[in-house]
Amino acid sequence: MEKNQELRNAWDFVEHTGISIFLTGKAGTGKTTFLRTLKEHSSKRSVIVAPTGVAAINAGGMTIHSFFQLPLSPFVPDASIKNRFDYSKEKRKIMRTLDLLIIDEISMVRADLLDAIDSVLRRFREHDKPFGGVQLLMIGDLQQLTPVVTPEEEKVLQRYYDTPYFFGSKALRSISYVTIELTHVYRQQDSTFITLLNNIREGKATAADLQRLNERYSPTFLPEAGSDYIRLTTHNRMAESYNEDQLRNLPSRACSFRAETDGNFPEYSYPADFNLTLKVGAQVMFIRNDNNGRYYNGRIGHVTYVDNEKILVLCPGDEDAIEVEVETWENTKYTLNEKTKQIEAEVQGTFKQYPLRLAWAITIHKSQGLTFEHAIIDAQASFASGQVYVALSRCKTLEGLVLASPIGNAAIINDSRVSDYISHQTEQAEQSISALPALKEEYYRQLLIELFNFNDIKIYEAALFRVLTEFFFKFPKINALHKMTLSDLDTRVISVSMKWENVIRRMTTVQLHEDEFKERVKKSTLYFHSQLTELFSHMLEITRDIQTNNKTAAIRFENTYTDLQQTYHAKRELLEAIMEDGFSITTYLTAKQEAILNSLNDGTGNKRRKKKETTNAVKTVKPSTIELTYNLFKAGKNVEEIAKERGLTPGTIQGHLIPYIQKGEIQIEHVIDKKKINTIKRIAKAVGKDSGMKTIKELCPSDITYNDILLVMKTTMS
């Protein structure tokens, strides 16, 4: 990556922007290597999915249908797939905290499947953003494998999509994304051969190209015994028949090896033959990389010894045969590690088999991603776009391939929709790459704006208020409190945040990173934290326990209340984190995911933030914000003095002291004047504490604040 600017650009877009990426490129340009590097080193929380079981196993992820729990039938735009609560709590947590969705072999993903992903992610994340605001990394080559569409599916899809390719997705067309094409070919070194392949890939093969290619046509060619030539065919039955004939003609005894499966490993995801039959002399291909470097996926060899316990394979160029051992493939699902807060791949099942396949012949489809020194290509019966290119590009050199059938223009199938799309995207990519530094800064600005966006809280509070007014009219005081909260939320939070957003948008890049502005950000988090606490803390508490015998009402209340409660607690904890640590992209993303997870875990937003470690081996625990307040109070400072010293509001300081008053470690009379306490208690008793703080406040003297009322109600009247 250090030597390849295109790969560096791809890394920067993934790691330092929120823009989605289509990473494409010719065969052998390093797409798979980039995926592995990203998987190991990215700081973003990611999940890898692929359209087929084998592709998912090879990429170390899950199939799209399995992860998103999608039906196999076509997805019709605006259709409902499942109720959001049909997904496990674990799956909902993962989707809620996902930064990056990696889709491998995107060329095989249909447009409707991408829209189905969009539908699911919107339900668990930001409803008004494509893919719920998740960044996509789509990896693949549209000139290679194509989407599979049956005639019946085509009848359904053509009413909604003008192309089955992923770029026909309505959700994808609604976002700006960058296409990065990798151009440096690592597989081939011969510039003439690379040019020929590129012309075929783009459907621009000249008469001279075809003449040069067909010079390799040799219909009677028979490879020498012990050579590593492999035959590439267009259809499964052709490859299977050829392999069976070759195996049958060997005079040696056959040995069969049956795979072992454990746990959940569906048949469609089997990465090797369940029943593998070998003989001495059989030509085989390794289908996995060896940890010790003896073989790699696609290496050809011949069986020199086989019995029920042992297999030896000699590869061209080696002096000694390789003793092949059984390999284990894992079927994984994504889980959330509650301790590390990281998304991890959990093994659901295993498949054990020798990593070998009969390899006198394989299909062009199964050769995808492999590299061969020598190949015999029979592509006359090609039936899909890109098939000839895939077959030819498996070979390292033109001299290493032999054509079993001549290749004419008719066999080189290209889809004009793909060519037009790539041409358009290439132009767009050049503009995006030139703007990369600005896009990085814009990402910083957008996350800052997102920190101060409270629209979700308003949406959930409005939804809860609708449920209360429709079904819980017997609780007029609570309804009145929610109505007042909606109004106060608009004036004290939403309108202020919109003004603050305008300030952030007007700031220059330099100003955004100045210490003075960073301090303004911290003070803003203090303001919004205190406002949210005042508006929702007590209100959620008194709303929580209302009851009804109406099952429909009870379900709707539970769902809307939970949404509001979790969103409120997550946002409040996020504000606290930035209040303490300041704003940076890494701090924000980490704190955001922790806050969401904490709110989902217990619904109360109780903080379980990681303890920080010093650079030496001794671990130190940084006091929490309420502990700092408590320590200053015990040192003899009053509420106003602590507020001034810490840059907080007196109301926030009072809130910090509530737990210590409840535990009896502080007397409330030392925090608030006893005359005020008695006044608040008398008025609350007269009107009923459930009447809401506004009702009580209106009857109190002007020097009594909402925070005074909240403090008394939480510590002496709960």
Side-chain angles (χ1 to χ4, degrees):
M1 195 179 299
E2 293 177 0
K3 299 178 181 178
N4 188 315
Q5 184 62 48
E6 293 155 354
L7 287 172
R8 284 207 305 274
N9 288 339
W11 176 266
D12 280 345
F13 271 104
V14 170
E15 284 296 289
H16 305 302
T17 81
I19 295 174
S20 293
I21 306 104
F22 170 37
L23 182 67
T24 187
K26 307 176 185 69
T29 50
K31 297 185 294 295
T32 301
T33 303
F34 180 79
L35 172 58
R36 291 177 186 146
T37 302
L38 191 69
K39 185 178 177 182
E40 292 179 12
H41 301 292
S42 174
S43 61
K44 290 189 175 180
R45 300 165 68 88
S46 64
V47 161
I48 302 171
V49 294
T52 68
V54 174
I57 295 295
N58 290 338
M62 296 178 66
T63 66
I64 294 171
H65 286 87
S66 177
F67 182 77
F68 290 102
Q69 298 173 213
L70 301 173
L72 296 176
S73 56
F75 174 77
V76 177
D78 300 323
S80 176
I81 300 172
K82 284 187 176 185
N83 184 286
R84 60 181 297 190
F85 294 100
D86 289 341
Y87 293 80
S88 68
K89 185 178 180 181
E90 183 87 1
K91 184 67 67 66
R92 299 201 300 270
K93 284 182 183 180
I94 291 172
M95 285 194 272
R96 281 285 299 275
T97 59
L98 193 62
D99 293 319
L100 177 69
L101 176 66
I102 303 171
I103 307 177
D104 199 20
E105 299 291 8
I106 189 66
S107 64
M108 298 176 66
V109 176
R110 288 196 326 229
D112 64 305
L113 186 55
L114 211 52
D115 282 341
I117 293 173
D118 167 68
S119 176
V120 174
L121 288 175
R122 281 179 189 259
R123 273 182 289 162
F124 293 102
R125 299 173 58 87
E126 298 172 75
H127 312 302
D128 58 340
K129 290 185 179 180
F131 304 102
V134 174
Q135 183 184 23
L136 303 183
L137 171 60
M138 303 166 285
I139 303 176
D141 182 4
L142 282 165
Q143 302 287 19
Q144 297 187 43
L145 299 180
T146 57
V148 176
V149 186
T150 66
E152 293 77 15
E153 291 169 336
E154 187 174 12
K155 289 179 183 177
V156 175
L157 294 175
Q158 66 185 4
R159 296 201 297 266
Y160 303 96
Y161 299 97
D162 55 11
T163 174
Y165 289 99
F166 79 92
F167 55 80
S169 156
K170 298 183 185 301
L172 190 64
R173 286 179 173 179
S174 68
I175 66 172
S176 295
Y177 64 100
V178 61
T179 295
I180 297 179
E181 183 173 6
L182 305 179
T183 57
H184 181 79
V185 179
Y186 294 95
R187 183 175 294 152
Q188 291 92 15
Q189 304 300 321
D190 180 2
S191 60
T192 302
F193 188 34
I194 291 173
T195 300
L196 188 151
L197 288 175
N198 197 44
N199 289 344
I200 291 174
R201 179 178 185 265
E202 297 177 358
K204 299 175 181 178
T206 64
D209 289 330
L210 293 178
Q211 181 181 348
R212 178 74 187 276
L213 183 61
N214 282 305
E215 288 174 0
R216 305 301 303 164
Y217 172 51
S218 180
T220 59
F221 177 79
L222 289 174
E224 295 179 5
S227 69
D228 60 351
Y229 275 91
I230 185 169
R231 193 178 192 90
L232 303 184
T233 68
T234 53
H235 293 75
N236 261 318
R237 65 177 183 275
M238 296 168 65
E240 290 170 1
S241 176
Y242 192 84
N243 283 329
E244 289 170 4
D245 288 344
Q246 295 296 316
L247 187 67
R248 191 183 304 111
N249 291 335
L250 292 175
S252 50
R253 181 176 65 91
C255 291
S256 293
F257 304 92
R258 184 182 177 88
E260 294 180 14
T261 60
D262 183 51
N264 177 25
F265 209 113
E267 189 173 343
Y268 62 78
S269 295
Y270 286 174
D273 293 335
F274 189 81
N275 290 298
L276 174 66
T277 302
L278 300 175
K279 291 181 179 181
V280 171
Q283 179 163 299
V284 293
M285 179 177 70
F286 287 95
I287 54 175
R288 186 154 183 174
N289 295 332
D290 177 40
N291 291 332
N292 298 317
R294 298 173 300 166
Y295 55 81
Y296 52 84
N297 189 10
R299 192 177 192 195
I300 305 295
H302 290 84
V303 177
T304 58
Y305 177 86
V306 61
D307 61 23
N308 293 331
E309 305 293 334
K310 187 176 182 180
I311 301 173
L312 295 179
V313 173
L314 181 65
C315 298
D318 289 355
E319 294 182 1
D320 300 319
I322 298 168
E323 182 171 351
V324 187
E325 298 173 351
V326 170
E327 289 278 2
T328 300
W329 286 264
E330 296 176 343
N331 178 36
T332 61
K333 82 165 187 176
Y334 287 101
T335 60
L336 199 63
N337 186 314
E338 294 292 348
K339 290 183 178 179
T340 66
K341 307 294 186 187
Q342 297 301 307
I343 298 172
E344 297 177 349
E346 180 181 286
V347 177
Q348 296 296 291
T350 58
F351 179 98
K352 295 182 179 181
Q353 179 59 289
Y354 288 101
L356 297 171
R357 175 180 289 145
L358 290 178
W360 286 285
I362 63 170
T363 62
I364 294 171
H365 188 278
K366 287 181 180 175
S367 74
Q368 174 75 16
L370 302 180
T371 302
F372 304 122
E373 298 286 346
H374 300 96
I376 303 168
I377 297 173
D378 186 2
Q380 190 175 33
S382 62
F383 59 90
S385 173
Q387 241 184 348
V388 169
Y389 169 69
V390 171
L392 296 175
S393 62
R394 300 309 96 197
C395 303
K396 282 189 172 182
T397 64
L398 183 61
E399 292 72 27
L401 69 86
V402 173
L403 299 182
S405 53
I407 293 177
N409 275 318
I412 302 174
I413 305 170
N414 289 87
D415 193 324
S416 60
R417 294 172 296 184
V418 170
S419 302
D420 293 344
Y421 167 76
I422 291 175
S423 176
H424 173 72
Q425 286 299 112
T426 301
E427 295 175 9
Q428 297 270 336
E430 292 174 358
Q431 298 174 14
S432 297
I433 290 169
S434 64
L436 181 56
L439 291 171
K440 287 182 181 180
E441 290 302 329
E442 185 58 26
Y443 184 52
Y444 181 94
R445 191 187 303 269
Q446 287 301 322
L447 291 185
L448 198 54
I449 290 171
E450 184 182 278
L451 170 63
F452 296 108
N453 186 311
F454 304 94
N455 289 336
D456 277 353
I457 293 178
K458 180 180 178 181
I459 289 169
Y460 291 134
E461 169 59 11
L464 179 58
F465 180 58
R466 285 195 299 272
V467 172
L468 291 172
T469 54
E470 183 177 353
F471 296 104
F472 297 87
F473 42 83
K474 293 182 179 179
F475 299 88
K477 293 179 180 178
I478 289 180
N479 285 347
L481 180 59
H482 280 271
K483 183 178 181 180
M484 179 184 69
T485 298
L486 273 172
S487 175
D488 288 346
L489 184 64
D490 266 333
T491 56
R492 294 160 59 182
V493 176
I494 302 296
S495 63
V496 179
S497 70
M498 290 175 67
K499 292 176 183 176
W500 184 218
E501 178 182 335
N502 289 332
V503 170
I504 295 172
R505 291 192 184 280
R506 289 196 302 269
M507 288 286 178
T508 65
T509 298
V510 173
Q511 288 174 327
L512 286 177
H513 295 279
E514 289 177 346
D515 290 340
E516 182 182 351
F517 182 74
K518 289 180 179 180
E519 281 303 310
R520 288 186 66 186
V521 169
K522 292 182 76 170
K523 289 181 179 179
S524 295
T525 61
L526 298 179
Y527 169 79
F528 288 113
H529 181 276
S530 63
Q531 293 299 316
L532 290 178
T533 302
E534 186 174 317
L535 290 176
F536 287 97
S537 181
H538 178 64
M539 186 198 68
L540 283 172
E541 197 172 300
I542 64 173
T543 305
R544 180 179 56 210
D545 298 324
I546 63 174
Q547 301 290 326
T548 179
N549 293 323
N550 184 323
K551 291 184 178 180
T552 300
I555 292 172
R556 286 186 58 186
F557 171 77
E558 179 63 27
N559 291 345
T560 53
Y561 180 87
T562 300
D563 282 339
L564 175 60
Q565 183 190 45
Q566 291 177 349
T567 304
Y568 158 67
H569 283 301
K571 179 63 82 170
R572 194 178 70 165
E573 183 175 332
L574 176 58
L575 291 169
E576 288 178 7
I578 304 304
M579 193 188 307
E580 292 181 21
D581 302 330
F583 182 87
S584 71
I585 290 177
T586 303
T587 300
Y588 175 76
L589 290 178
T590 302
K592 177 184 174 184
Q593 309 306 358
E594 275 198 33
I596 291 172
L597 287 175
N598 287 344
S599 70
L600 292 174
N601 282 340
D602 57 18
T604 64
N606 288 337
K607 290 181 66 175
R608 287 188 294 279
R609 299 181 63 208
K610 295 177 186 175
K611 297 175 181 178
K612 295 185 178 180
E613 296 182 12
T614 58
T615 52
N616 56 36
V618 181
K619 294 184 178 180
T620 59
V621 181
K622 180 181 178 180
S624 70
T625 186
I626 65 171
E627 288 173 334
L628 289 172
T629 295
Y630 175 70
N631 292 337
L632 290 171
F633 187 86
K634 294 298 287 184
K637 297 189 176 182
N638 61 33
V639 169
E640 288 71 21
E641 290 170 338
I642 297 171
K644 184 176 181 180
E645 179 174 330
R646 298 204 58 205
L648 303 174
T649 65
T652 300
I653 298 301
Q654 286 182 345
H656 289 174
L657 298 176
I658 286 175
Y660 299 99
I661 297 172
Q662 291 172 331
K663 289 184 290 186
E665 296 178 19
I666 295 176
Q667 297 298 314
I668 187 173
E669 292 83 0
H670 296 160
V671 179
I672 179 175
D673 185 77
K674 190 169 183 178
K675 184 178 179 182
K676 287 185 178 181
I677 298 172
N678 293 335
T679 300
I680 293 168
K681 290 173 71 173
R682 187 179 72 255
I683 292 173
K685 185 176 180 180
V687 300
K689 65 178 182 179
D690 292 340
S691 60
M693 288 195 292
K694 186 175 183 181
T695 302
I696 298 171
K697 177 73 170 68
E698 289 173 346
L699 299 174
C700 286
S702 59
D703 63 335
I704 292 179
T705 67
Y706 277 105
N707 286 304
D708 293 336
I709 298 169
L710 179 65
L711 181 68
V712 172
M713 294 182 73
K714 273 188 163 290
T715 57
T716 67
M717 303 179 66
S718 57

